[in-house]
Amino acid sequence: IVHDEMTEEQMMKSDQEIPVIITKALYEKSKATLAHIQQVLSSQRAVPETISQVFLGHCMGAYDTLVKTLIETHAKYQKLEKRCDQDRLIQGSLSESREKGLADAKKLNESLWKSVEILSDVLNQPMPVLQDDDEDDKDANAAANAANGTGVELWTEGEEDGTADDAANFGPFDDEETRSFYCDVPDLLTTIPPALLGMNETEIDKLQTENLRKYGND
């Protein structure tokens, strides 16, 4: 309660808050004003709804792209890691370039995971389930091939897109040189001297012509 006789100095020295008496009509008006402000703040958008929906669509598109990239990158990293582990067991160590490649692949995989995790949290979307090992699928395919009488196929030229120019498709092999060593049968008639085969050049030429007629250029 404000007293007219209280001086300004006394008011400044007072440590307690001084209550103020207001009329009931002023109180009701203030209450209605506060309720209106709260209603406006809770319903008003910072940007129009159309712009908000467009932005949400872009964010969902980025999320879907990152998820797809993460799944593909994780699968490639798993295969690369297994190959490097096998090479370590066989050779004892990896070359510096392969160690760097493995480290870069790991960093990329972790970076993609963090990006997807952030978008998943913001957009309220589920995190993708990453397969740690696809050996079960390979075993199932091998069993199906065996049941069909096709056996186990390690590599088929151009099996990815039906062409023979797919240089990146080496099956279980690291590079073309390794694949060729295990899969391609060398032509002994051209690599071994005729004297070691117990044949002369005429006989070699005749045999090569016959093989060409039977088996073709391949």
Side-chain angles (χ1 to χ4, degrees):
I1 300 175
V2 180
H3 299 280
D4 295 337
E5 62 273 12
M6 182 177 291
T7 63
E8 183 179 355
E9 183 179 356
Q10 290 175 336
M11 293 174 61
M12 294 181 65
K13 289 181 179 180
S14 176
D15 295 331
Q16 298 180 353
E17 294 183 357
I18 301 175
V20 177
I21 299 177
I22 61 175
T23 62
K24 184 177 181 180
L26 182 59
Y27 169 76
E28 294 295 339
K29 185 177 180 180
S30 301
K31 185 178 179 182
T33 303
L34 289 175
H36 177 69
I37 293 175
Q38 291 177 353
Q39 182 180 4
V40 171
L41 292 178
S42 62
S43 61
Q44 189 176 18
R45 290 177 172 269
V47 295
E49 184 176 0
T50 54
I51 297 179
S52 178
Q53 291 298 325
V54 170
F55 181 72
L56 178 61
H58 289 319
C59 290
M60 289 300 299
Y63 172 77
D64 293 338
T65 301
L66 283 175
V67 167
K68 182 179 179 180
T69 305
L70 173 62
I71 293 175
E72 294 176 353
T73 303
H74 181 74
K76 292 179 180 179
Y77 171 68
Q78 291 288 321
K79 292 180 180 179
L80 178 61
E81 189 177 32
K82 289 179 182 178
R83 290 180 181 176
C84 290
D85 289 340
Q86 293 174 356
D87 290 344
R88 286 193 186 97
L89 292 176
I90 297 173
Q91 302 176 5
S93 62
L94 294 177
S95 63
E96 184 178 353
S97 59
R98 295 198 66 184
E99 287 284 6
K100 185 178 183 301
L102 181 62
D104 291 341
K106 183 178 181 180
K107 290 180 180 178
L108 177 60
N109 188 64
E110 292 176 349
S111 177
L112 285 171
W113 175 265
K114 291 180 181 178
S115 299
V116 172
E117 191 175 28
I118 293 173
L119 280 179
S120 175
D121 182 54
V122 172
L123 299 174
N124 195 25
Q125 295 295 317
M127 285 293 293
V129 179
L130 302 179
Q131 298 293 335
D132 290 335
D133 197 351
D134 57 352
E135 292 297 328
D136 293 338
D137 294 337
K138 292 181 179 179
D139 293 342
N141 292 335
N145 291 334
N148 295 331
T150 57
V152 179
E153 184 177 37
L154 294 180
W155 179 83
T156 299
E157 187 175 20
E159 65 180 359
E160 291 275 339
D161 55 7
T163 65
D165 297 330
D166 188 11
N169 178 30
F170 302 124
F173 309 104
D174 290 335
D175 49 47
E176 173 63 21
E177 182 179 0
T178 305
R179 185 209 61 75
S180 178
F181 177 80
Y182 288 103
C183 296
D184 294 345
V185 179
D187 186 2
L188 300 180
L189 297 178
T190 59
T191 56
I192 298 179
L196 296 179
L197 295 175
M199 305 171 66
N200 55 41
E201 294 184 1
T202 303
E203 293 174 333
I204 292 292
D205 293 338
K206 182 179 179 181
L207 187 57
Q208 285 179 338
T209 303
E210 184 178 354
N211 289 341
L212 183 61
R213 180 179 58 84
K214 289 183 178 180
Y215 308 112
N217 293 329
D218 297 334

